[in-house]
Structures are given as structure tokens and as C-alpha cells.
Amino acid sequence: MSKLSKGDEQVKVINLWVSLFGMRVMIGLEEKGVAYEYQEENLASKSDLLLQMNPVHKQVPVLIHNGRPVCESLIILEYIEEAWPSSNPLMPSNPYDRALARFWADFLNKKFFEDAFYGILKCTGEAQEEGKRYMLQYLGLLEGELSAGGSKPYFGGEQFGFVDIVFIPYACWFHALETLGKWKIPWESEFPRLQQWMKTCMERESVNKILPDPQKVLEYAVQFRKRFVSFE
């Protein structure tokens, strides 16, 4: 993909390679064709730059554009849309459709991440089983929303956009969630549209380039989980 050039414009992303939220930011930049510098962050020993650029949350990702930081992945994606409006729109043009996209992005950030994703990753026993139930319930809602668009390939229709970018990073984590939860998500029988949607998204250069190997994600997840489940 050709990169946009605006003279002395400087764009930098501070991130942890496995972060769902950071993947969104980089996919958004790739879709816009924006060249950026990448800084891998060690959250166990946070860099001075991260603490300077995100003193409130002290978390990744952070987008630094010409020396000024933008934090929180959904806010960053909207900033990317507004800062580089001339190529590959990420948000729908219709106000209602934009509101709908923001609704589903908020749902993925809160309900899907906290109840389902963390419910499986960080829990055991009945709490983990509840996380699995949430996962199936929420995937069902997303399957319905995707199906509402008829045969269109993306959540926004024909155009890969905001909701797709927010959701697709979970694709590289599903293997870890299935392994740690000792279960299988019934993609073919229950969520065939989502399964096809993931395959379609993975064919995009921006997604395929950014999402890490699911096996590497699993290895990270096993170590991450030990912080919450001491006997594993």
C-alpha cells in the first residue's frame, strides 16, 4: 500500500505487540496509507515516553502525531479518520450509521471484552463457564448484526471500516481462548457469517500484516493467565 506523505509529518505508535487495542490503531493507519514509526512497550517497565505521553492511564496504545499524543483506541481511530480524511474512509458518511458503528464499537470494548474475553482468559470454574456463555451470546448478537447487511462482506456493508477494525483483532485471540477454556467455538454451525467475515478480513493486507500468529498469542496468554490463576 502506498504511504501518504505530508512533508515533515511524524507519526509514532507506542504499543504492545499482542494488544487488541493497539492492533486496531495500526490497521487503521495501514488502511489510510499513513507511514508510522513503531515503539514496542514493556508494560512491566514502562518507558519514560509512555508515561509522558499517557500520564493518566499509562497504557498502550498511544498515537503520537507531530509530538502530540492521542490515547484510547476508539478515540485514536476517530482521530485517524479526521486527520487523514482523503483516503479510505473508516466511518460511514451517514450520521445514523456512524452512531450505529460507535454503538457496536462500545459494545466490543465493554461487554465483549470484559464479560466474554476476560471472563475466559482470567477465570476458572463457573466464572470461566459464564465467560463462555457470554462469548456465545455476544457472538450471536454480532452474527445477527452482520447478517442484517444481507450478503455484504463487512459490518459497514461493502466498505471495510470502523466496526471491522475494532473487532478483527479478536480473531488472533480466539485460538488462545479456546485452548485455555478447553472448548471450541461452533463457528460453522452457529456463526458462519462471522467465520466468513474473519476470512475476508484476513485477506486484507492491513489485517494480515498486523495480526500476530495465534500460536504466539497463545504462548503469551498462558503466561498472562498465571498472574490471575496461580496454580497453572
Side-chain angles (χ1 to χ4, degrees), residues 49-90:
L49 182 61
L50 174 62
L51 298 177
Q52 175 189 352
M53 292 292 155
N54 191 0
V56 176
H57 296 299
K58 303 178 178 64
Q59 294 294 336
V60 296
V62 178
L63 175 75
I64 306 173
H65 185 200
N66 292 333
R68 299 187 299 180
V70 185
C71 304
E72 299 297 303
S73 65
L74 300 187
I75 295 173
I76 296 172
L77 282 177
E78 294 215 40
Y79 177 85
I80 290 171
E81 173 75 333
E82 295 174 4
W84 294 280
S86 62
S87 64
N88 285 9
L90 306 182

Side-chain angles (χ1 to χ4, degrees), residues 129-184:
E129 293 302 312
E130 183 178 43
K132 294 177 188 178
R133 290 193 289 271
Y134 277 127
M135 177 66 74
L136 295 175
Q137 177 186 345
Y138 295 164
L139 287 175
L141 292 174
L142 291 160
E143 176 82 3
E145 175 62 18
L146 187 59
S147 299
S151 60
K152 294 180 180 179
Y154 301 114
F155 278 94
E158 297 293 342
Q159 178 74 32
F160 179 80
F162 192 68
V163 178
D164 305 295
I165 294 172
V166 172
F167 188 24
I168 193 56
Y170 283 99
C172 66
W173 271 91
F174 284 131
H175 173 58
L177 296 177
E178 288 180 323
T179 303
L180 296 176
K182 299 179 176 61
W183 69 316
K184 287 291 184 182

Side-chain angles (χ1 to χ4, degrees), residues 14 19 21 28 32 36 50 57-58 84 87 101 104 110 121 123 143 156 165 181 187 196 201 204 210-211 223-224:
I14 306 175
S19 168
F21 307 104
K32 287 287 188 177
Y36 60 94
L50 174 62
H57 296 299
K58 303 178 178 64
W84 294 280
S87 64
W104 285 110
K110 295 176 181 176
L121 181 62
C123 299
E143 176 82 3
I165 294 172
W187 294 108
Q196 181 58 51
C201 289
R204 299 187 70 85
I210 297 303
L211 265 58
Q223 297 304 313
F224 177 85

